[in-house]
Short mmCIF file of all heavy atoms in Angstrom, two decimals:
data_model
loop_
_atom_site.label_atom_id
_atom_site.label_comp_id
_atom_site.label_asym_id
_atom_site.label_seq_id
_atom_site.Cartn_x
_atom_site.Cartn_y
_atom_site.Cartn_z
N LEU A 5 0.99 4.38 -2.72
CA LEU A 5 0.84 5.71 -2.38
C LEU A 5 1.97 6.59 -2.92
O LEU A 5 1.79 7.68 -3.47
CB LEU A 5 0.77 5.93 -0.85
CG LEU A 5 0.61 7.31 -0.29
CD1 LEU A 5 -0.65 7.98 -0.90
CD2 LEU A 5 0.54 7.30 1.23
N ASN A 6 3.19 6.14 -2.76
CA ASN A 6 4.38 6.84 -3.26
C ASN A 6 4.36 6.97 -4.77
O ASN A 6 4.72 8.00 -5.35
CB ASN A 6 5.66 6.14 -2.87
CG ASN A 6 5.99 6.32 -1.38
OD1 ASN A 6 5.53 7.29 -0.80
ND2 ASN A 6 6.73 5.44 -0.80
N SER A 7 3.81 5.92 -5.41
CA SER A 7 3.71 5.91 -6.89
C SER A 7 2.77 7.02 -7.33
O SER A 7 2.97 7.74 -8.26
CB SER A 7 3.26 4.57 -7.37
OG SER A 7 4.21 3.62 -7.07
N LEU A 8 1.63 7.17 -6.60
CA LEU A 8 0.69 8.15 -6.92
C LEU A 8 1.23 9.58 -6.64
O LEU A 8 0.99 10.47 -7.45
CB LEU A 8 -0.59 7.97 -6.06
CG LEU A 8 -1.48 6.77 -6.43
CD1 LEU A 8 -2.58 6.62 -5.36
CD2 LEU A 8 -2.09 6.93 -7.81
N ILE A 9 1.99 9.75 -5.60
CA ILE A 9 2.58 11.05 -5.33
C ILE A 9 3.55 11.41 -6.43
O ILE A 9 3.59 12.50 -6.97
CB ILE A 9 3.32 11.03 -3.97
CG1 ILE A 9 2.30 10.88 -2.86
CG2 ILE A 9 4.14 12.30 -3.79
CD1 ILE A 9 2.87 10.73 -1.49
N ASN A 10 4.44 10.44 -6.80
CA ASN A 10 5.44 10.72 -7.89
C ASN A 10 4.75 11.03 -9.19
O ASN A 10 5.20 11.87 -9.99
CB ASN A 10 6.39 9.57 -8.01
CG ASN A 10 7.33 9.35 -6.83
OD1 ASN A 10 7.58 10.36 -6.13
ND2 ASN A 10 7.75 8.15 -6.55
N LEU A 11 3.67 10.32 -9.45
CA LEU A 11 2.90 10.53 -10.71
C LEU A 11 2.33 11.89 -10.75
O LEU A 11 2.32 12.55 -11.78
CB LEU A 11 1.81 9.49 -10.86
CG LEU A 11 0.95 9.54 -12.12
CD1 LEU A 11 1.90 9.35 -13.35
CD2 LEU A 11 -0.15 8.52 -12.10
N SER A 12 1.84 12.42 -9.58
CA SER A 12 1.25 13.70 -9.56
C SER A 12 2.31 14.80 -9.86
O SER A 12 1.98 15.79 -10.61
CB SER A 12 0.63 14.02 -8.18
OG SER A 12 1.63 14.13 -7.18
N TYR A 13 3.52 14.65 -9.34
CA TYR A 13 4.60 15.60 -9.72
C TYR A 13 4.99 15.48 -11.19
O TYR A 13 5.23 16.47 -11.85
CB TYR A 13 5.80 15.39 -8.84
CG TYR A 13 5.61 15.80 -7.34
CD1 TYR A 13 6.03 15.02 -6.35
CD2 TYR A 13 4.92 17.03 -7.08
CE1 TYR A 13 5.76 15.37 -4.99
CE2 TYR A 13 4.71 17.40 -5.80
CZ TYR A 13 5.13 16.56 -4.76
OH TYR A 13 4.92 16.92 -3.47
N ALA A 14 5.03 14.24 -11.64
CA ALA A 14 5.38 14.05 -13.07
C ALA A 14 4.45 14.70 -14.00
O ALA A 14 4.77 15.08 -15.13
CB ALA A 14 5.55 12.52 -13.35
N ASN A 15 3.14 14.78 -13.61
CA ASN A 15 2.13 15.37 -14.44
C ASN A 15 2.00 16.81 -14.32
O ASN A 15 1.12 17.44 -14.90
CB ASN A 15 0.79 14.68 -14.12
CG ASN A 15 0.73 13.24 -14.58
OD1 ASN A 15 1.48 12.86 -15.45
ND2 ASN A 15 -0.16 12.42 -14.01
N GLU A 16 2.83 17.45 -13.49
CA GLU A 16 2.80 18.96 -13.37
C GLU A 16 3.13 19.57 -14.72
O GLU A 16 4.12 19.20 -15.41
CB GLU A 16 3.84 19.39 -12.35
CG GLU A 16 3.77 20.86 -11.99
CD GLU A 16 2.67 21.15 -10.99
OE1 GLU A 16 2.86 20.94 -9.80
OE2 GLU A 16 1.61 21.64 -11.48
N ARG A 17 2.29 20.50 -15.14
CA ARG A 17 2.51 21.20 -16.43
C ARG A 17 2.66 22.66 -16.09
O ARG A 17 1.72 23.34 -15.76
CB ARG A 17 1.40 20.98 -17.40
CG ARG A 17 1.32 19.49 -17.86
CD ARG A 17 0.12 19.26 -18.77
NE ARG A 17 0.19 20.03 -19.96
CZ ARG A 17 0.88 19.65 -21.05
NH1 ARG A 17 1.55 18.55 -21.09
NH2 ARG A 17 0.89 20.44 -22.14
N ILE A 18 3.89 23.23 -16.23
CA ILE A 18 4.25 24.53 -15.77
C ILE A 18 4.41 25.47 -17.05
O ILE A 18 5.16 25.10 -17.94
CB ILE A 18 5.41 24.57 -14.90
CG1 ILE A 18 5.33 23.61 -13.71
CG2 ILE A 18 5.74 25.98 -14.43
CD1 ILE A 18 6.58 23.42 -12.94
N VAL A 19 3.81 26.63 -16.98
CA VAL A 19 4.10 27.67 -17.97
C VAL A 19 4.72 28.84 -17.20
O VAL A 19 4.24 29.21 -16.09
CB VAL A 19 2.76 28.15 -18.57
CG1 VAL A 19 3.01 29.45 -19.40
CG2 VAL A 19 2.22 27.10 -19.56
N VAL A 20 5.78 29.39 -17.71
CA VAL A 20 6.52 30.43 -17.01
C VAL A 20 6.69 31.67 -17.87
O VAL A 20 7.03 31.61 -19.05
CB VAL A 20 7.97 29.92 -16.60
CG1 VAL A 20 8.61 30.96 -15.68
CG2 VAL A 20 7.95 28.59 -15.97
N ALA A 21 6.45 32.85 -17.28
CA ALA A 21 6.61 34.10 -17.94
C ALA A 21 7.66 34.92 -17.17
O ALA A 21 7.33 35.42 -16.05
CB ALA A 21 5.29 34.85 -17.98
N GLY A 22 8.84 35.08 -17.69
CA GLY A 22 9.93 35.74 -17.00
C GLY A 22 11.17 34.89 -17.02
O GLY A 22 11.19 33.83 -16.48
N ASP A 23 12.20 35.40 -17.70
CA ASP A 23 13.43 34.56 -17.86
C ASP A 23 14.08 34.16 -16.59
O ASP A 23 14.45 33.03 -16.46
CB ASP A 23 14.46 35.42 -18.72
CG ASP A 23 14.74 36.72 -18.14
OD1 ASP A 23 14.00 37.26 -17.31
OD2 ASP A 23 15.76 37.41 -18.61
N ALA A 24 14.13 35.07 -15.59
CA ALA A 24 14.74 34.66 -14.32
C ALA A 24 13.95 33.60 -13.66
O ALA A 24 14.54 32.66 -12.99
CB ALA A 24 14.81 35.88 -13.43
N LEU A 25 12.64 33.63 -13.75
CA LEU A 25 11.77 32.60 -13.12
C LEU A 25 11.98 31.26 -13.81
O LEU A 25 12.03 30.18 -13.17
CB LEU A 25 10.33 33.05 -13.20
CG LEU A 25 10.01 34.40 -12.60
CD1 LEU A 25 8.49 34.67 -12.67
CD2 LEU A 25 10.49 34.44 -11.11
N THR A 26 12.08 31.29 -15.16
CA THR A 26 12.35 30.04 -15.91
C THR A 26 13.65 29.40 -15.43
O THR A 26 13.70 28.16 -15.25
CB THR A 26 12.41 30.30 -17.39
OG1 THR A 26 11.15 30.89 -17.86
CG2 THR A 26 12.67 29.07 -18.20
N GLU A 27 14.63 30.20 -15.26
CA GLU A 27 15.98 29.71 -14.86
C GLU A 27 15.91 29.11 -13.44
O GLU A 27 16.53 28.10 -13.10
CB GLU A 27 17.03 30.82 -14.90
CG GLU A 27 17.36 31.29 -16.35
CD GLU A 27 18.38 32.38 -16.36
OE1 GLU A 27 19.15 32.49 -15.38
OE2 GLU A 27 18.36 33.18 -17.29
N ILE A 28 15.12 29.71 -12.60
CA ILE A 28 14.92 29.17 -11.22
C ILE A 28 14.32 27.82 -11.25
O ILE A 28 14.82 26.91 -10.60
CB ILE A 28 14.08 30.13 -10.33
CG1 ILE A 28 14.83 31.44 -10.08
CG2 ILE A 28 13.65 29.46 -9.05
CD1 ILE A 28 14.03 32.49 -9.37
N VAL A 29 13.26 27.62 -12.12
CA VAL A 29 12.58 26.35 -12.16
C VAL A 29 13.54 25.28 -12.65
O VAL A 29 13.60 24.16 -12.13
CB VAL A 29 11.34 26.44 -13.05
CG1 VAL A 29 10.75 25.05 -13.29
CG2 VAL A 29 10.32 27.38 -12.51
N PHE A 30 14.40 25.61 -13.65
CA PHE A 30 15.35 24.63 -14.11
C PHE A 30 16.37 24.35 -13.06
O PHE A 30 16.84 23.16 -12.88
CB PHE A 30 16.05 25.17 -15.41
CG PHE A 30 15.37 24.79 -16.69
CD1 PHE A 30 14.41 25.60 -17.23
CD2 PHE A 30 15.71 23.56 -17.26
CE1 PHE A 30 13.77 25.20 -18.43
CE2 PHE A 30 15.03 23.20 -18.46
CZ PHE A 30 14.07 24.02 -19.00
N ASP A 31 16.91 25.37 -12.39
CA ASP A 31 17.89 25.14 -11.33
C ASP A 31 17.38 24.37 -10.17
O ASP A 31 18.20 23.74 -9.42
CB ASP A 31 18.48 26.49 -10.88
CG ASP A 31 19.55 27.07 -11.85
OD1 ASP A 31 19.83 26.32 -12.80
OD2 ASP A 31 19.96 28.13 -11.62
N LEU A 32 16.07 24.34 -9.95
CA LEU A 32 15.48 23.53 -8.93
C LEU A 32 15.26 22.05 -9.37
O LEU A 32 14.80 21.23 -8.59
CB LEU A 32 14.11 24.13 -8.51
CG LEU A 32 14.22 25.46 -7.77
CD1 LEU A 32 12.81 26.01 -7.51
CD2 LEU A 32 14.99 25.35 -6.46
N GLY A 33 15.55 21.83 -10.63
CA GLY A 33 15.45 20.45 -11.12
C GLY A 33 14.07 20.12 -11.66
O GLY A 33 13.77 18.92 -11.91
N ALA A 34 13.24 21.19 -11.96
CA ALA A 34 11.89 20.93 -12.43
C ALA A 34 11.67 21.41 -13.90
O ALA A 34 10.59 21.58 -14.35
CB ALA A 34 10.90 21.64 -11.55
N GLY A 35 12.82 21.57 -14.61
CA GLY A 35 12.70 22.07 -15.99
C GLY A 35 11.87 21.15 -16.95
O GLY A 35 11.21 21.67 -17.88
N GLU A 36 11.89 19.86 -16.66
CA GLU A 36 11.21 18.96 -17.49
C GLU A 36 9.65 19.12 -17.39
O GLU A 36 8.93 18.69 -18.26
CB GLU A 36 11.55 17.51 -17.16
CG GLU A 36 12.98 17.15 -17.53
CD GLU A 36 13.29 15.67 -17.23
OE1 GLU A 36 12.39 14.97 -16.67
OE2 GLU A 36 14.38 15.26 -17.58
N ASP A 37 9.20 19.80 -16.32
CA ASP A 37 7.77 20.04 -16.19
C ASP A 37 7.30 21.29 -16.91
O ASP A 37 6.07 21.59 -16.93
CB ASP A 37 7.46 20.14 -14.65
CG ASP A 37 7.66 18.85 -13.92
OD1 ASP A 37 7.58 17.79 -14.54
OD2 ASP A 37 7.97 18.89 -12.73
N ILE A 38 8.20 22.09 -17.42
CA ILE A 38 7.79 23.29 -18.15
C ILE A 38 7.31 22.94 -19.53
O ILE A 38 8.02 22.28 -20.33
CB ILE A 38 8.99 24.27 -18.23
CG1 ILE A 38 9.41 24.75 -16.79
CG2 ILE A 38 8.59 25.52 -19.07
CD1 ILE A 38 10.62 25.70 -16.86
N VAL A 39 6.13 23.47 -19.90
CA VAL A 39 5.53 23.14 -21.19
C VAL A 39 5.38 24.36 -22.07
O VAL A 39 5.03 24.27 -23.24
CB VAL A 39 4.17 22.48 -21.00
CG1 VAL A 39 4.29 21.12 -20.34
CG2 VAL A 39 3.20 23.38 -20.23
N GLY A 40 5.71 25.55 -21.53
CA GLY A 40 5.65 26.81 -22.28
C GLY A 40 6.35 27.94 -21.59
O GLY A 40 6.32 27.95 -20.38
N VAL A 41 6.90 28.86 -22.39
CA VAL A 41 7.63 30.00 -21.80
C VAL A 41 7.34 31.26 -22.60
O VAL A 41 6.89 31.19 -23.75
CB VAL A 41 9.15 29.82 -21.74
CG1 VAL A 41 9.54 28.64 -20.85
CG2 VAL A 41 9.71 29.51 -23.14
N ASP A 42 7.66 32.41 -22.02
CA ASP A 42 7.46 33.67 -22.73
C ASP A 42 8.72 33.98 -23.57
O ASP A 42 9.75 33.20 -23.50
CB ASP A 42 7.30 34.80 -21.74
CG ASP A 42 8.56 35.16 -21.03
OD1 ASP A 42 9.14 34.28 -20.30
OD2 ASP A 42 9.09 36.33 -21.14
N GLY A 43 8.70 34.98 -24.43
CA GLY A 43 9.76 35.29 -25.31
C GLY A 43 11.07 35.66 -24.65
O GLY A 43 12.16 35.55 -25.31
N SER A 44 11.01 36.14 -23.40
CA SER A 44 12.28 36.57 -22.76
C SER A 44 13.04 35.38 -22.22
O SER A 44 14.22 35.48 -21.89
CB SER A 44 11.96 37.50 -21.60
OG SER A 44 11.40 36.77 -20.46
N SER A 45 12.43 34.23 -22.13
CA SER A 45 13.11 33.04 -21.57
C SER A 45 13.91 32.32 -22.63
O SER A 45 13.35 31.71 -23.55
CB SER A 45 12.05 32.07 -21.00
OG SER A 45 11.35 32.69 -19.98
N ARG A 46 15.23 32.47 -22.56
CA ARG A 46 16.15 31.88 -23.55
C ARG A 46 17.24 31.02 -22.96
O ARG A 46 18.12 30.56 -23.71
CB ARG A 46 16.79 33.05 -24.37
CG ARG A 46 15.85 34.00 -25.06
CD ARG A 46 16.53 35.13 -25.69
NE ARG A 46 15.57 36.07 -26.30
CZ ARG A 46 15.89 37.21 -26.85
NH1 ARG A 46 17.21 37.62 -26.82
NH2 ARG A 46 14.97 38.02 -27.42
N TYR A 47 17.19 30.82 -21.70
CA TYR A 47 18.22 30.04 -21.02
C TYR A 47 17.53 29.14 -19.96
O TYR A 47 16.60 29.62 -19.28
CB TYR A 47 19.23 30.94 -20.35
CG TYR A 47 20.41 30.20 -19.73
CD1 TYR A 47 21.56 29.98 -20.50
CD2 TYR A 47 20.36 29.80 -18.42
CE1 TYR A 47 22.60 29.25 -19.88
CE2 TYR A 47 21.40 29.12 -17.84
CZ TYR A 47 22.55 28.86 -18.61
OH TYR A 47 23.56 28.22 -18.02
N PRO A 48 17.97 27.89 -19.85
CA PRO A 48 19.00 27.20 -20.67
C PRO A 48 18.44 26.93 -22.11
O PRO A 48 17.28 27.21 -22.35
CB PRO A 48 19.24 25.90 -19.88
CG PRO A 48 17.92 25.69 -19.17
CD PRO A 48 17.42 27.00 -18.75
N LYS A 49 19.29 26.43 -22.93
CA LYS A 49 19.01 26.26 -24.32
C LYS A 49 17.79 25.40 -24.59
O LYS A 49 17.12 25.53 -25.64
CB LYS A 49 20.19 25.67 -25.09
CG LYS A 49 20.62 24.34 -24.72
CD LYS A 49 21.81 23.89 -25.49
CE LYS A 49 22.31 22.45 -25.10
NZ LYS A 49 23.49 22.07 -25.83
N GLN A 50 17.41 24.49 -23.63
CA GLN A 50 16.21 23.69 -23.88
C GLN A 50 14.96 24.50 -24.05
O GLN A 50 13.97 23.96 -24.72
CB GLN A 50 16.02 22.72 -22.67
CG GLN A 50 17.19 21.74 -22.48
CD GLN A 50 18.14 22.25 -21.39
OE1 GLN A 50 18.68 23.34 -21.52
NE2 GLN A 50 18.38 21.44 -20.38
N VAL A 51 14.85 25.68 -23.47
CA VAL A 51 13.61 26.47 -23.56
C VAL A 51 13.32 26.92 -25.00
O VAL A 51 12.18 27.27 -25.33
CB VAL A 51 13.66 27.68 -22.64
CG1 VAL A 51 13.85 27.29 -21.21
CG2 VAL A 51 14.72 28.64 -23.05
N ASN A 52 14.36 26.91 -25.82
CA ASN A 52 14.19 27.34 -27.17
C ASN A 52 13.34 26.34 -27.98
O ASN A 52 12.81 26.72 -29.14
CB ASN A 52 15.54 27.55 -27.90
CG ASN A 52 16.35 28.70 -27.26
OD1 ASN A 52 15.80 29.69 -26.90
ND2 ASN A 52 17.63 28.43 -27.07
N GLN A 53 13.11 25.17 -27.45
CA GLN A 53 12.31 24.20 -28.14
C GLN A 53 10.84 24.20 -27.62
O GLN A 53 10.03 23.45 -28.17
CB GLN A 53 12.95 22.73 -27.97
CG GLN A 53 14.38 22.66 -28.27
CD GLN A 53 14.63 23.02 -29.75
OE1 GLN A 53 13.86 22.68 -30.64
NE2 GLN A 53 15.73 23.71 -29.97
N LEU A 54 10.61 24.98 -26.65
CA LEU A 54 9.28 25.02 -26.01
C LEU A 54 8.30 26.00 -26.68
O LEU A 54 8.77 27.01 -27.26
CB LEU A 54 9.37 25.38 -24.50
CG LEU A 54 10.08 24.40 -23.66
CD1 LEU A 54 10.31 24.97 -22.26
CD2 LEU A 54 9.32 23.08 -23.54
N PRO A 55 7.02 25.77 -26.65
CA PRO A 55 6.04 26.68 -27.19
C PRO A 55 6.15 28.04 -26.53
O PRO A 55 6.40 28.19 -25.31
CB PRO A 55 4.72 26.02 -26.86
CG PRO A 55 5.03 24.52 -26.68
CD PRO A 55 6.41 24.53 -26.09
N GLN A 56 5.84 29.08 -27.29
CA GLN A 56 5.93 30.51 -26.85
C GLN A 56 4.48 30.97 -26.40
O GLN A 56 3.55 30.63 -27.12
CB GLN A 56 6.51 31.37 -27.85
CG GLN A 56 7.96 31.10 -28.21
CD GLN A 56 8.98 31.61 -27.20
OE1 GLN A 56 8.85 32.81 -26.83
NE2 GLN A 56 9.85 30.83 -26.76
N ILE A 57 4.46 31.70 -25.35
CA ILE A 57 3.13 32.20 -24.91
C ILE A 57 3.08 33.72 -24.91
O ILE A 57 2.35 34.35 -24.16
CB ILE A 57 2.79 31.64 -23.52
CG1 ILE A 57 3.93 31.71 -22.52
CG2 ILE A 57 2.39 30.20 -23.64
CD1 ILE A 57 3.90 32.90 -21.63
N GLY A 58 3.91 34.34 -25.74
CA GLY A 58 3.91 35.76 -25.84
C GLY A 58 5.03 36.43 -25.10
O GLY A 58 5.95 35.78 -24.63
N ASN A 59 4.99 37.74 -24.98
CA ASN A 59 5.96 38.51 -24.25
C ASN A 59 5.61 38.56 -22.79
O ASN A 59 4.42 38.53 -22.42
CB ASN A 59 6.03 39.92 -24.88
CG ASN A 59 7.18 40.74 -24.19
OD1 ASN A 59 6.91 41.35 -23.13
ND2 ASN A 59 8.29 40.85 -24.82
N VAL A 60 6.62 38.68 -21.91
CA VAL A 60 6.32 38.71 -20.49
C VAL A 60 5.35 39.84 -20.10
O VAL A 60 4.67 39.76 -19.06
CB VAL A 60 7.66 38.87 -19.71
CG1 VAL A 60 8.30 40.22 -19.90
CG2 VAL A 60 7.41 38.60 -18.20
N LYS A 61 5.39 40.91 -20.84
CA LYS A 61 4.41 42.04 -20.60
C LYS A 61 3.21 41.99 -21.48
O LYS A 61 2.36 42.89 -21.46
CB LYS A 61 5.21 43.34 -20.73
CG LYS A 61 6.17 43.61 -19.62
CD LYS A 61 6.84 44.91 -19.80
CE LYS A 61 7.80 45.20 -18.64
NZ LYS A 61 7.10 45.39 -17.38
N LEU A 62 3.10 41.01 -22.37
CA LEU A 62 1.97 40.91 -23.30
C LEU A 62 1.69 39.42 -23.52
O LEU A 62 1.92 38.92 -24.66
CB LEU A 62 2.25 41.68 -24.58
CG LEU A 62 1.08 41.81 -25.55
CD1 LEU A 62 -0.01 42.68 -24.89
CD2 LEU A 62 1.55 42.44 -26.83
N LEU A 63 1.17 38.74 -22.53
CA LEU A 63 0.96 37.29 -22.59
C LEU A 63 -0.32 37.02 -23.47
O LEU A 63 -1.28 37.75 -23.45
CB LEU A 63 0.72 36.71 -21.25
CG LEU A 63 1.92 36.81 -20.26
CD1 LEU A 63 1.58 36.05 -18.94
CD2 LEU A 63 3.20 36.23 -20.87
N ASN A 64 -0.18 35.92 -24.18
CA ASN A 64 -1.29 35.43 -25.09
C ASN A 64 -2.07 34.37 -24.28
O ASN A 64 -1.64 33.26 -24.07
CB ASN A 64 -0.72 34.87 -26.30
CG ASN A 64 -1.80 34.43 -27.31
OD1 ASN A 64 -2.87 33.96 -26.91
ND2 ASN A 64 -1.58 34.61 -28.58
#
Side-chain angles (χ1 to χ4, degrees):
L5 178 59
N6 286 336
S7 297
L8 288 173
I9 291 173
N10 291 333
L11 181 60
S12 68
Y13 288 136
N15 289 338
E16 188 80 80
R17 294 178 60 83
I18 305 172
V19 168
V20 191
D23 54 346
L25 304 181
T26 300
E27 292 178 27
I28 290 172
V29 175
F30 268 92
D31 280 353
L32 292 175
E36 292 183 355
D37 294 332
I38 297 179
V39 295
V41 294
D42 75 300
S44 74
S45 298
R46 301 175 183 174
Y47 185 90
K49 62 181 180 180
Q50 297 97 304
V51 302
N52 297 319
Q53 308 301 319
L54 294 172
Q56 297 281 310
I57 47 96
N59 182 279
V60 67
K61 290 182 176 293
L62 189 64
L63 298 184
N64 184 324

